[in-house]
Amino acid sequence: MTGADPDPRVGVVVVAAGSGTRLGAAQPKALVRVGGRRILEHAVCGALAVRFVRQVVVVAPAAYVAELSADVPGWEGSPAPSPRPLHPAGVPDPPAPVLGEPGGRVRVVPGGAERTDSVRAGLAALGPDIDIVLIHDAARCLTPTSVYDRVIAAVAAGHEAVVPGLAVVDTMKVVDAEGTVIATPERSRVRAIQTPQGFSRAAITSAHASGLAATDDAGLAEENGRPVRVVDGDPLAFKVTTPDDLERAERLLRTPTLWVIGGLPGTGKTTLSRRLAAFEDATLVRVDSIEQALTTDLDLEHPGTTGYAIAYAVAADQLRLGRSVVADLVNPLPQTRVALRQIAEQAGAGICEIRLVCSDATEHRRRIEGRLADIPGYVLPDWRDVTERLFVAWPEARVIDTAGRTPEQVFRVLRDGP
């Protein structure tokens, strides 16, 4: 290809014939469900959402071809959801796949014994009008459309082989068969390669016809003497390989949630909020930090409700971006609780209201009197402040008693129930 093609005709081969042994599932990995749909469904719908894609060929385990070709229940209607940060408001959902017909937009064909055999089967099933081929691992099911767009643009501009890649943050070592280091490549020149990998049809057909072997299609192109161009990948194009990867994908596909962690000082709100924010990969909004900044940096002796107002604005912004939020605040009054519910509703997010209590007064007092401030300049309340503080009943909240429980036990109660 020479020059930029203004209207490239793109076909995507989705490789889904692997067993997924490391995932520990009783079925092929691509058929495991995440976010309510199969991994394969997410991958196919992601490909169909890309401009210029005319055809998708799914290379599936032979035993599942008939089932998938018959239009698997759950593929009908609306397409598989993608992580909310990738689909801002106003962007139309991609169309649902149409399966089963050889001339349709999606075909399912059986894979081979090796990955190379499977890709070759997918290439053979592409229509004659396709001139750019993308080869994509179904396991990278959350790959943003922007990655596809960069790969397609580079191939359309004349690069015969293109791969997305991420800069590595760790020092890399090359070792021999005994595990001895034989080289340390310069980190700035190393990339972790992802998919989809893009090729001119002539280049990838020639590479697969050569009889050479490689661990991926770009490597096959290299072995065939083709230069390979690297464009920016994306962290969301990670490969679902282990149970931890599956859990990460599950979290990314959830509707964002506003977690409201309230209760009197000394009940464990901040400890739980930090643990929950790390587990959910959520934004932590702590009113104590905001109020202390108002006091010290803006010289506001009595911030009043200003700290809560700032917390509301930050939480609303994060929820609209698709990020879950953990709000760490006393939340003693109905009006603040109503405001938080309105924020979640307006952002299209879920809300989970949690009130922590410590039913053992002796333990609660010991916590209050033994605490050290973790915010510079912040004056902690004493036991009298806590016992005299107004706290209006909060019937909507789930109550968790932290007395006699370690922070990890409290987190498990929140996560798994009593």
Side-chain angles (χ1 to χ4, degrees), residues 29 39 42-43 46 82-83 86 135-151 163-166 192-197 231-241 245 248-249 252:
K29 176 168 58 178
I39 286 174
H42 290 288
S82 294
L86 309 183
I135 300 175
H136 186 48
D137 291 334
R140 298 186 188 273
C141 57
L142 303 186
T143 300
T145 55
S146 57
V147 177
Y148 285 87
D149 292 341
R150 286 192 287 270
V151 172
V163 297
L166 291 177
I193 299 306
Q194 302 176 318
T195 69
Q197 299 184 354
V231 298
D232 288 340
D234 191 287
L236 283 171
F238 68 95
K239 191 173 185 178
V240 177
T241 302
D245 298 327
R248 179 185 176 192
L252 286 166

Side-chain angles (χ1 to χ4, degrees), residues 141-187:
C141 57
L142 303 186
T143 300
T145 55
S146 57
V147 177
Y148 285 87
D149 292 341
R150 286 192 287 270
V151 172
I152 292 169
V155 179
H159 299 285
E160 291 191 305
V162 179
V163 297
L166 291 177
V168 299
V169 296
D170 298 317
T171 297
M172 310 299 288
K173 299 288 185 182
V174 180
V175 299
D176 62 18
E178 285 72 40
T180 303
V181 173
I182 57 175
T184 303
E186 185 181 339
R187 186 171 58 189

Side-chain angles (χ1 to χ4, degrees), residues 7 47 168 227 235 238 293 331 351 355 360 375 390 400 412:
D7 186 23
V168 299
F238 68 95
N331 207 21
I351 186 167
R355 179 188 175 187
D360 185 332
I375 304 172
L390 174 66
I400 298 178
R412 281 201 225 101

